[in-house]
Amino acid sequence: MSEDRLIYLPLGGAGEIGMNCYVYGYGKPGAERLIVVDLGVTFPDMDGTPGVDLILPDITWLKENRNRIDAIFITHAHEDHVGAVGHCFEQLGAPIHARAFTANIARGKLSEYGIGEKAVRTASKWPETVQAGPFRVGFLPISHSIPESSALVIDSPAGRVIHTGDFKLDTQPLVGEPWDPALWSEVARPGVLALVCDSTNVFSEHPGRSESSVGPEVEALVAGAKQMVVATTFASNVARVKTLAEAGERAGRSICLLGRAMRRMIEAAVETGVLTSFPKVIAPEDVTQIPRENVMLIVTGSQGERRAASAQLARGKFNGIEMKEGDLFLFSSKTIPGNERGVIRIMNMFSEQGVDVIDDSGGRYHVSGHANRPDLETVQDLVQPQIVVPMHGEHRHLREHVKLTQARGRKGVLAVNGMMIELSGNAPRVVEHVETGRTYLDGSVQIGALDGVVRDRIRMALNGHVVVTVILDEEDAPLGDPWCDLKGLPETGRSHAPLTDVLEEDLSQFIGRAGDKTLADDDKLEEGLVRVVRNTCQSEIGKKPEVTVVVSRLA
Amino acid sequence: MSEDRLIYLPLGGAGEIGMNCYVYGYGKPGAERLIVVDLGVTFPDMDGTPGVDLILPDITWLKENRNRIDAIFITHAHEDHVGAVGHCFEQLGAPIHARAFTANIARGKLSEYGIGEKAVRTASKWPETVQAGPFRVGFLPISHSIPESSALVIDSPAGRVIHTGDFKLDTQPLVGEPWDPALWSEVARPGVLALVCDSTNVFSEHPGRSESSVGPEVEALVAGAKQMVVATTFASNVARVKTLAEAGERAGRSICLLGRAMRRMIEAAVETGVLTSFPKVIAPEDVTQIPRENVMLIVTGSQGERRAASAQLARGKFNGIEMKEGDLFLFSSKTIPGNERGVIRIMNMFSEQGVDVIDDSGGRYHVSGHANRPDLETVQDLVQPQIVVPMHGEHRHLREHVKLTQARGRKGVLAVNGMMIELSGNAPRVVEHVETGRTYLDGSVQIGALDGVVRDRIRMALNGHVVVTVILDEEDAPLGDPWCDLKGLPETGRSHAPLTDVLEEDLSQFIGRAGDKTLADDDKLEEGLVRVVRNTCQSEIGKKPEVTVVVSRLA
């Protein structure tokens, strides 16, 4: 007869930055009641996931244990925390709890799946709490680069866990609640078993900077601009959007928001009351009515996304608006690793238009939303947890965060996706390994990362694709010659004859020489034809393509 | 009757960083005698050039004017300056001139194409010169991150041009010649018509740092290491490799070089006398004989390249050597934009092995090889050219460099690939636009960037590929049903039936309904079948694949 236990299980976000999904459980081993914290997405790239639209955590384990899930909690409205609610909700079927702004965004995502508003319950902030099975969960305000980011205070019979969500220590975040050490201290007073903590900026050695430090810099920049000013940042960074807009307003400019996400976020912030004042904005169609030196656009696309407003402006007109020589474009943002090429492409397109591009390389026009190393130390020392479990980081971040924790004389646990950790009992320990991974949203279908679909795409992209067609009659005799269709391959190679001709000649010879046994056997025939194509291509063009053989037998 | 003129024509490297290839000409318009400066490559990526091995400048214009080329000059041995000599030499057929170290590397590349040593002539440094048609060209020593980098002093009847090549102002480069302002001043004294100048670091506001500043930092780091130390940098940065090796030696460690390029570069540097002292190295097979705290490896793969030594160590054993918990891995390098994901992947694999990874985020263990903004100003002011032509930069770099030049009261010319600029005469002006672009080395074949081959690969990678086969008899009647082969597509979609079955059913219905005219016409039939596949896929899986239709008509 085993004891009740408290478990922690990351299914996404531990060992990567993105796709956050964490599970807590309390009860008898294997029968714990569960809560889910965050259901985020991560973004595909051409290198590893060509053609994929969105990457979701693999929630197979949760689906198998669906009847044990009492609730889903969303800490804040960033895509890597809330982005998968629409895709996963019906597979889990538990109520979603979030604060007003986050709930607003989550409801928008659910409505795309035809799921009603009631799926999301708006939670009040700490000290109010939500009861979910054996857990009592409170939303503890914390500053971040989006309004109403919250840590979760998760109480169970085994003790109190604080799950930080994403955070920074900002006493002047401009929009949303400031970092409140007195409040956190009070929450920590009864004793905290585990601090499950954001690790993103563990390698940043200096204390983090306040959102309020950006304003004066932006204001000076905009005040000095001679023509139109365009600024981009993450739409969800409502405080930043406000800072940008106010800088424009003070310089006597009319403000226009461009890009669906930009308008959506400001709308949500106003609707939910987190944004109480914002400069008057004009509609995109009115921009051209105003002298360009009196306009400031705030646009989506800080990461160089091809379809966002910034990219469209770089390519030409967007909403009837065009950039001109002497305009200023400001990236009030950091480029996320992997997005450099896209951002640089846009910078150069603007340069070709004569637009002056300012980025954050000098550190003036952007601050991070995550706690730096000294800030992580501050929080640990204030909360005094028995255990620290780093999350929201790649392996190197988690490992460094554990080292930092140990250096302060505390227990640190390096838990990556799939490791079920018992937090209760004498020492934290791994009690199970759960299969995890990634699910791809591909068009309208969810496919497994290991299904081979994307692997085949990558192979076609690297090697090209040859289709060989052979028709055999009722007696397995070839009807005419085999032929080839090439896709993604050069037309001619070493011999300067068309590659198709060379291949068809070699395939015909193979068929001519093939014995009855080969001709009667689809597998053998295919094997032989594939070999011919690959060898001939290797010799002609120096690479071995993917091959599809279509054998048609007339019945 | 037109006058002789001096022209400058970038075919690669102006409007991009990489693939450098510049042409100078002197003579009657359209009949100028030509010299080529640098023949470099750039590297493919999955985003834009999947499956491509190497990207070369499109030298069509040079081939068409082959009989006018008197010589090829290579400024230094970086791949983006010398990498294409093997692939292009026979198409140009002019002698290559380079200093000893560069010539050594160039000969290695030519020998892969079976081209003999004599194709490359070893040049001495300034004040010696090479006569090439109407040009007299001297190799003027300058510091950079590779030995014997040289600016070219290009004299023609129209005046003196200084083509900087890649450079920094380093009075203590450790290996190779230091920046020598007195020498440059002397060269500039007769008057310089044009300074054609590296623009890479025009956005870096502080003066560049000397290679010699890295040594003490590395030494302190290595001295404090407890287990094996592994460091990576560009193999061609011979000074850095030496600095790393000497730091290891001083800490009592045996040095081992891992990776073909690392050994090749040090060998070339020793052979050509640019490297006169280097710590004794041990063979990879001897490493495991020595206690790991007495070993330092210097390895290839600072950019996360999958096949380089660093990546292989990250994945497991390489040359019998394995990383262990407590080892130290140093990136004595900067990550080139676009390579971040690969580098981060390796960092995380090392983290999983318990290896401590140090990178250059603190600016201690790497310095750039390019002149920063104040250094560019220093050189301009020293050389006092009539015209500055920025090169070796993306559009934004060139534009900023022109602005910098104009701010100093000089003429700056923004010339991107394909713009032929007349430097002689009253003012620099564009006299012609030459078609330029990129040539892909794909396996063993050179293909044009616009041939559509790579576009088709990208489309297959994004959309998947469906092959439809239909057989018609002598009277255009279908023989059996059409069928489908899918590659890179999910097996099932909305209806939960196999996608192949759904497609074949819809295709059969289409064929059943098709009139005689459609069945008799390959184009119409194909058009209809493609439409069916794309519509059905859109409805089943939410995306429209690439489609290849194979119609077989029995004769």
Side-chain angles (χ1 to χ4, degrees):
Chain A
M1 203 208 82
S2 49
E3 305 269 311
D4 287 346
R5 66 181 187 182
L6 174 65
I7 57 164
Y8 161 78
L9 168 64
L11 294 176
E16 66 192 328
I17 292 184
M19 205 180 85
N20 293 278
C21 180
Y22 309 91
V23 182
Y24 292 89
Y26 183 82
K28 298 260 176 289
E32 298 90 349
R33 297 301 302 177
L34 308 174
I35 57 172
V36 178
V37 176
D38 290 339
L39 276 172
V41 297
T42 197
F43 296 97
D45 59 50
M46 188 70 185
D47 277 321
T49 46
V52 169
D53 293 281
L54 216 47
I55 302 174
L56 321 170
D58 179 351
I59 55 165
T60 306
W61 188 87
L62 284 176
K63 286 192 280 183
E64 287 166 4
N65 294 285
R66 177 184 164 131
N67 61 341
R68 291 163 53 196
I69 306 173
D70 288 313
I72 298 164
F73 296 86
I74 309 293
T75 58
H76 65 287
H78 277 149
E79 287 296 316
D80 58 333
H81 295 260
V82 75
V85 287
H87 314 294
C88 298
F89 176 76
E90 293 198 319
Q91 301 172 61
L92 302 180
I96 296 171
H97 300 269
R99 294 183 65 198
F101 177 79
T102 311
N104 184 303
I105 300 297
R107 286 189 186 110
K109 293 187 179 296
L110 290 166
S111 77
E112 288 170 26
Y113 277 74
I115 301 162
E117 300 224 323
K118 291 185 181 161
V120 183
R121 304 182 188 171
T122 303
S124 299
K125 67 182 179 184
W126 181 267
E128 291 200 33
T129 57
V130 175
Q131 186 76 38
F135 293 102
R136 183 168 280 280
V137 179
F139 287 80
L140 183 62
I142 183 83
S143 45
H144 184 41
S145 47
I146 192 168
E148 289 193 346
S149 196
S150 300
L152 299 178
V153 181
I154 304 173
D155 285 332
S156 76
R160 175 164 288 184
V161 172
I162 298 184
H163 179 102
T164 65
D166 294 5
F167 76 102
K168 66 185 290 188
L169 304 187
D170 193 342
T171 54
Q172 288 187 280
L174 305 186
V175 172
E177 295 109 334
W179 158 240
D180 181 350
L183 175 65
W184 276 63
S185 182
E186 182 193 311
V187 169
R189 194 164 307 132
V192 172
L193 174 61
L195 178 71
V196 180
C197 189
D198 182 359
S199 309
T200 314
N201 280 3
V202 67
F203 289 110
S204 300
E205 294 179 14
H206 303 290
R209 286 154 54 212
S210 169
E211 183 63 36
S212 59
S213 68
V214 175
E217 299 283 355
V218 172
E219 211 164 302
L221 183 73
V222 176
K226 303 270 181 288
Q227 294 295 319
M228 189 162 72
V229 175
V230 185
T232 184
T233 190
F234 272 113
S236 56
N237 193 337
V238 173
R240 184 70 50 79
V241 176
K242 186 174 184 238
T243 295
L244 295 168
E246 287 176 350
E249 189 180 45
R250 289 208 187 104
R253 291 169 182 266
S254 296
I255 308 301
C256 174
L257 303 179
L258 278 190
R260 208 175 62 91
M262 195 58 77
R263 288 196 298 270
R264 171 83 184 88
M265 280 290 168
I266 298 305
E267 205 177 271
V270 169
E271 275 175 28
T272 55
V274 302
L275 192 59
T276 48
S277 74
F278 193 84
K280 189 172 161 297
V281 299
I282 62 170
E285 54 272 26
D286 295 334
V287 167
T288 51
Q289 314 291 318
I290 299 173
R292 51 200 308 113
E293 65 270 23
N294 295 339
V295 171
M296 175 156 170
L297 312 178
I298 305 175
V299 308
T300 53
S302 67
Q303 300 303 310
E305 304 92 324
R306 279 178 184 277
R307 289 174 201 164
S310 67
Q312 302 216 41
L313 284 171
R315 285 195 294 268
K317 274 193 190 173
F318 183 59
N319 281 359
I321 306 166
E322 218 171 342
M323 302 289 283
K324 290 223 170 109
E325 172 123 28
D327 287 348
L328 178 76
F329 191 98
L330 170 65
F331 282 90
S332 180
S333 54
K334 185 201 139 184
T335 303
I336 293 172
N339 296 342
E340 288 80 3
R341 282 207 175 103
V343 169
I344 287 174
R345 190 182 305 124
I346 286 177
M347 288 180 170
N348 282 311
M349 288 193 285
F350 281 135
S351 178
E352 287 171 26
Q353 297 174 354
V355 172
D356 294 318
V357 176
I358 309 280
D359 67 9
D360 185 52
S361 52
R364 282 198 279 269
Y365 307 111
H366 178 67
V367 294
S368 171
H370 294 274
N372 289 356
R373 189 184 187 88
D375 308 324
L376 296 172
E377 294 172 339
T378 299
V379 170
Q380 270 197 23
D381 293 351
L382 186 136
V383 170
Q384 298 280 347
Q386 292 175 43
I387 311 166
V388 174
V389 186
M391 60 157 180
H392 205 283
E394 298 163 9
H395 194 282
R396 61 193 176 118
H397 300 103
L398 305 183
R399 180 166 177 267
E400 185 69 17
H401 201 167
V402 166
K403 285 166 76 177
L404 174 160
T405 301
Q406 290 168 343
R408 298 184 97 67
R410 295 194 183 88
K411 283 181 200 158
V413 181
L414 203 165
V416 296
N417 294 342
M419 278 190 191
M420 187 189 288
I421 307 288
E422 181 181 348
L423 297 173
S424 49
N426 291 326
R429 62 196 180 96
V430 180
V431 290
E432 199 179 325
H433 285 275
V434 166
E435 285 229 24
T436 56
R438 299 176 155 210
T439 299
Y440 299 151
L441 180 70
D442 189 61
S444 54
V445 179
Q446 290 186 20
I447 56 180
L450 304 177
D451 288 1
V453 171
V454 168
R455 181 201 59 208
D456 282 350
R457 285 187 201 158
I458 292 173
R459 286 184 180 164
M460 287 191 288
L462 294 176
N463 309 321
H465 191 193
V466 174
V467 179
V468 178
T469 313
V470 182
I471 306 179
L472 301 168
D473 68 13
E474 296 83 342
E475 277 138 17
D476 301 329
L479 264 177
D481 289 321
W483 71 95
C484 282
D485 288 83
L486 274 52
K487 217 176 179 73
L489 288 163
E491 280 183 17
T492 58
R494 193 174 54 88
S495 66
H496 301 291
L499 181 56
T500 310
D501 294 357
V502 179
L503 281 169
E504 289 179 351
E505 174 63 31
D506 289 355
L507 289 165
S508 290
Q509 285 191 17
F510 171 81
I511 293 274
R513 284 194 314 266
D516 289 349
K517 266 196 187 166
T518 302
L519 292 174
D521 182 331
D522 277 5
D523 289 343
K524 270 196 189 146
L525 187 55
E526 176 169 343
E527 194 190 310
L529 294 167
V530 168
R531 199 173 49 236
V532 169
V533 170
R534 292 172 68 89
N535 287 345
T536 298
C537 283
Q538 179 63 41
S539 131
E540 279 289 310
I541 59 169
K543 62 197 297 173
K544 294 184 172 178
E546 301 305 296
V547 186
T548 296
V549 175
V550 182
V551 177
S552 310
R553 293 179 187 276
L554 301 186
Chain B
M1 201 211 80
S2 50
E3 307 267 313
D4 286 346
R5 66 184 188 182
L6 174 65
I7 58 165
Y8 161 78
L9 168 64
L11 294 176
E16 65 193 329
I17 292 184
M19 206 180 84
N20 293 279
C21 180
Y22 308 90
V23 181
Y24 292 89
Y26 184 82
K28 298 259 176 291
E32 298 90 351
R33 298 301 302 179
L34 308 173
I35 58 172
V36 178
V37 175
D38 291 340
L39 276 171
V41 297
T42 197
F43 297 97
D45 59 50
M46 188 71 185
D47 278 320
T49 46
V52 170
D53 293 282
L54 215 48
I55 301 174
L56 320 172
D58 179 351
I59 55 165
T60 305
W61 188 87
L62 285 176
K63 286 192 280 183
E64 287 167 4
N65 295 285
R66 178 184 164 131
N67 61 340
R68 291 162 55 197
I69 307 173
D70 289 313
I72 298 163
F73 295 87
I74 308 294
T75 58
H76 64 287
H78 277 148
E79 288 295 317
D80 58 334
H81 294 260
V82 74
V85 288
H87 313 295
C88 297
F89 177 75
E90 293 197 321
Q91 301 172 61
L92 302 181
I96 296 171
H97 300 270
R99 294 184 65 198
F101 177 79
T102 310
N104 184 304
I105 300 297
R107 287 190 185 110
K109 295 187 178 295
L110 290 166
S111 77
E112 287 171 27
Y113 276 74
I115 300 162
E117 300 223 323
K118 290 182 184 163
V120 184
R121 303 182 189 171
T122 304
S124 298
K125 67 181 177 184
W126 180 267
E128 291 200 30
T129 58
V130 175
Q131 187 75 39
F135 295 102
R136 184 169 279 282
V137 180
F139 286 82
L140 183 63
I142 185 81
S143 45
H144 184 42
S145 48
I146 192 168
E148 288 192 346
S149 196
S150 300
L152 299 179
V153 181
I154 304 174
D155 285 331
S156 76
R160 175 165 285 185
V161 171
I162 298 185
H163 180 102
T164 66
D166 294 6
F167 76 101
K168 66 185 291 190
L169 304 187
D170 193 341
T171 53
Q172 287 188 282
L174 304 186
V175 172
E177 294 110 335
W179 157 241
D180 182 349
L183 174 64
W184 275 64
S185 181
E186 184 193 307
V187 169
R189 194 162 309 132
V192 173
L193 174 62
L195 178 71
V196 180
C197 190
D198 182 0
S199 309
T200 315
N201 280 5
V202 67
F203 289 109
S204 299
E205 294 178 13
H206 303 290
R209 286 155 54 215
S210 169
E211 183 62 36
S212 60
S213 68
V214 175
E217 299 285 353
V218 173
E219 212 165 298
L221 183 73
V222 176
K226 302 272 181 288
Q227 294 294 320
M228 189 162 72
V229 175
V230 185
T232 184
T233 190
F234 272 114
S236 57
N237 193 337
V238 173
R240 184 70 52 78
V241 176
K242 186 175 184 233
T243 296
L244 295 168
E246 287 176 351
E249 190 181 44
R250 289 208 188 102
R253 291 170 182 266
S254 297
I255 308 301
C256 174
L257 304 179
L258 279 189
R260 208 174 63 93
M262 195 56 77
R263 289 195 298 270
R264 171 85 184 87
M265 280 291 169
I266 298 304
E267 206 177 270
V270 169
E271 274 174 29
T272 55
V274 302
L275 192 58
T276 48
S277 75
F278 193 84
K280 192 172 160 296
V281 301
I282 62 170
E285 54 271 27
D286 295 336
V287 166
T288 51
Q289 314 290 317
I290 299 172
R292 53 200 305 114
E293 65 271 23
N294 296 338
V295 172
M296 175 156 170
L297 312 179
I298 304 175
V299 310
T300 53
S302 67
Q303 300 303 312
E305 305 93 322
R306 278 177 183 275
R307 290 173 199 164
S310 66
Q312 302 215 41
L313 283 169
R315 286 195 293 267
K317 274 191 191 174
F318 182 59
N319 281 359
I321 305 166
E322 218 171 342
M323 301 289 283
K324 290 224 169 105
E325 172 125 29
D327 288 347
L328 179 75
F329 191 97
L330 170 65
F331 282 89
S332 180
S333 54
K334 185 201 139 184
T335 303
I336 293 172
N339 296 341
E340 288 80 2
R341 282 207 174 105
V343 169
I344 288 174
R345 190 182 304 125
I346 287 177
M347 287 180 170
N348 282 312
M349 287 194 283
F350 281 135
S351 178
E352 287 172 25
Q353 297 173 354
V355 172
D356 294 319
V357 176
I358 309 280
D359 67 10
D360 185 51
S361 52
R364 283 199 279 271
Y365 307 112
H366 178 66
V367 294
S368 171
H370 294 273
N372 289 358
R373 188 182 187 90
D375 308 323
L376 296 172
E377 294 173 337
T378 299
V379 169
Q380 272 197 20
D381 292 352
L382 187 137
V383 170
Q384 298 279 348
Q386 293 176 40
I387 310 165
V388 174
V389 186
M391 59 157 181
H392 206 284
E394 299 163 8
H395 193 283
R396 62 193 175 117
H397 299 103
L398 305 185
R399 180 166 177 268
E400 184 70 16
H401 200 167
V402 166
K403 285 167 75 177
L404 174 160
T405 301
Q406 290 168 342
R408 297 185 98 67
R410 295 196 182 87
K411 283 181 199 157
V413 182
L414 204 166
V416 296
N417 294 341
M419 278 190 192
M420 187 190 288
I421 307 288
E422 181 181 348
L423 298 174
S424 48
N426 291 327
R429 61 194 182 99
V430 181
V431 290
E432 198 180 326
H433 285 276
V434 166
E435 284 229 22
T436 56
R438 300 177 154 208
T439 299
Y440 299 151
L441 180 71
D442 188 63
S444 54
V445 179
Q446 290 186 18
I447 55 181
L450 304 177
D451 288 1
V453 171
V454 167
R455 181 200 60 206
D456 281 350
R457 286 186 202 158
I458 292 173
R459 286 185 181 164
M460 287 191 289
L462 294 175
N463 308 322
H465 190 194
V466 175
V467 179
V468 179
T469 313
V470 182
I471 305 179
L472 302 168
D473 68 13
E474 297 84 342
E475 278 137 19
D476 300 329
L479 263 177
D481 289 321
W483 71 95
C484 281
D485 287 83
L486 275 51
K487 217 176 178 71
L489 289 163
E491 280 182 18
T492 59
R494 193 174 54 88
S495 67
H496 300 292
L499 181 56
T500 309
D501 294 356
V502 180
L503 280 168
E504 289 178 352
E505 175 64 31
D506 289 354
L507 288 166
S508 290
Q509 286 191 18
F510 170 80
I511 292 274
R513 283 194 313 266
D516 288 349
K517 267 197 187 165
T518 303
L519 292 174
D521 182 332
D522 277 6
D523 289 343
K524 272 197 187 144
L525 187 55
E526 176 169 343
E527 193 191 311
L529 294 167
V530 167
R531 198 173 51 237
V532 171
V533 170
R534 292 171 69 89
N535 288 345
T536 299
C537 283
Q538 179 61 42
S539 131
E540 279 290 308
I541 60 169
K543 61 197 295 171
K544 294 185 171 177
E546 300 306 297
V547 187
T548 295
V549 175
V550 183
V551 177
S552 310
R553 293 182 188 274
L554 300 186

